[in-house]
Amino acid sequence: MAFRCQRDSYAREFTTTVVSCSPAELQTEGSNGKKEVLSGFHVVLEDTLLFPEGGGQPDDRGTINDISVLRVTRRGAQADHFTQTPLAPGTEVQVQVDWERRFDHMQQHSGQHLITAVADHLFGLKTTSWELGRARSVIELDSPSVTAEQVAAIEQSVNEKIRARLPVNVRELSLDDPEVEQVRGRGLPDDHAGPVRVVTIESVDVNMCCGTHVSNLSDLQVIKILGTEKGKKNKTNLAFLAGNRVLKWMERSHGSEKALTALLKCGAEDHVEAVKKLQNSTKLLQKNNLNLLRDLAVHVAHSLRNSPDWGGVVTLHRKEGDSEFMNIIANEIGSEETLLFLTVGDEKGAGLFLLAGPAEAVETLGPRVAEVLEGKGAGKKGRFQGKATRMSRRGEVQALLQDYISTQSAEE
């Protein structure tokens, strides 16, 4: 049989009876991004208002007697509702659906049917799969490319049909009905039970589908095609928004536009040109800064080389700089008798380091320096450099290098 949610997608609450309740587990993603396993129960009802995931559509959320339903999955002709509180079989319960989530899914799913039908009718672009995502939905088209002109034509046509207020009807056919063979669809699941649901958009499309849909295209409000992306081999992904998602997208876009207008001190029509000018200015400043940094590196190298403290272990730390800055200093100094320990970055936090000197010494000391600074690095030919997380331990590195030099001198 079809569930109540499939017979009436607009129903928001109803009363039914608990059939069974058994222990179950649910694997979910925690707030830290790691997988978590929740212990709970699979509750089966005589009928349900909550759609179980299927047909590319995610499952509903809602409550049973104010108990949150965290997942709904189909198992043959029944639906398993995962809750963390048990419900006794035979209990009469009130089921409520999360209407905002449900109506959003109805808009996206019916929007997909409409786009799929129009893309096929206008250009012979067949849909091979689709995904109803949290932020946007994606239709996979069986074509290596779709032109911008085709996208514009599809978008115009689907919105014309929305404005025409075409009705959307749902029928149920028995599996042996000859009409089933004539209906578009990607086949039935192996565990399918009951009649076949057929969703018809008047004069546009007839398609097998188990999902929840609007009853009239006017409920879609509007469809916006965001563009296309290269999909799997010889496929193209078409991304779209329908209904309330378009309004939310416009609200975000308008907010960004207002913020940019305030920051750039120009109207929205001049935003792109203003950003290009800023990018060019930034590139010029970065180039000038790099040249100055190189000149500074050469000057620092000569100062270190001519310092009365030259020899043994020479250290230098600067807050500003990068790997190139340190390597220029090492190149200018070019000494293989002295251990040169250079660092740039936050004095107590993260940064970069470079150890240069005799190849054998650097090969021995490099990994130990990285370990002390709680970082990682690599080296060859008398240089070892990398990233560090504890620049506050530079003094320990200096002591390590001094001990090495002292030990070598004593052995000589």
Side-chain angles (χ1 to χ4, degrees), residues 365-384:
L365 294 167
R368 295 170 64 186
V369 169
E371 183 179 355
V372 171
L373 297 177
E374 297 183 19
K376 294 181 179 180
K380 61 181 179 179
K381 297 181 179 178
R383 287 193 194 178
F384 190 98

Side-chain angles (χ1 to χ4, degrees), residues 174-359:
S174 62
L175 273 172
D176 57 359
D177 192 316
E179 189 178 343
V180 171
E181 298 297 324
Q182 309 301 319
V183 177
R184 179 172 62 82
R186 295 194 297 274
L188 297 170
D190 294 336
D191 62 346
H192 175 81
V196 176
R197 293 179 78 244
V198 177
V199 178
T200 301
I201 302 175
E202 187 179 279
S203 72
V204 175
D205 185 47
V206 181
N207 185 21
M208 281 190 291
C209 183
C210 66
T212 56
H213 290 273
V214 298
S215 60
N216 191 290
L217 289 188
S218 62
D219 274 355
L220 295 185
Q221 300 166 281
V222 65
I223 285 177
K224 176 60 187 174
I225 298 178
L226 300 177
T228 59
E229 303 165 352
K230 186 175 179 60
K232 297 175 184 176
K233 187 176 181 181
N234 294 324
K235 310 285 187 191
T236 298
N237 293 333
L238 182 147
F240 76 93
L241 305 172
N244 290 335
R245 290 194 183 192
V246 179
L247 300 179
K248 291 178 180 178
W249 173 71
M250 290 179 65
E251 185 178 355
R252 290 193 302 270
S253 298
H254 183 58
S256 297
E257 184 179 284
K258 287 174 64 178
L260 286 171
T261 295
L263 289 169
L264 299 172
K265 310 298 183 186
C266 65
E269 65 278 5
D270 297 320
H271 284 176
V272 173
E273 195 60 37
V275 170
K276 285 181 180 178
K277 288 180 180 179
L278 284 173
Q279 286 179 325
N280 290 334
S281 297
T282 301
K283 287 179 182 177
L284 182 60
L285 288 171
Q286 287 175 335
K287 182 178 180 181
N288 292 338
N289 184 58
L290 183 60
N291 289 334
L292 289 171
L293 202 59
R294 286 170 177 165
D295 291 342
L296 178 62
V298 171
H299 174 73
V300 168
H302 291 165
S303 296
L304 289 174
R305 185 74 179 180
N306 297 326
S307 170
D309 297 326
W310 177 258
V313 176
V314 177
T315 65
L316 174 73
H317 175 78
R318 276 185 61 87
K319 186 175 181 180
E320 298 82 13
D322 55 16
S323 292
E324 184 176 9
F325 174 76
M326 295 188 294
N327 276 289
I328 291 173
I329 294 176
N331 290 339
E332 288 294 321
I333 289 178
S335 172
E336 294 186 359
E337 294 79 33
T338 300
L339 281 175
L340 182 64
F341 176 52
L342 306 175
T343 54
V344 294
D346 191 325
E347 288 188 7
K348 296 183 179 180
L352 305 173
F353 70 90
L354 181 146
L355 179 67

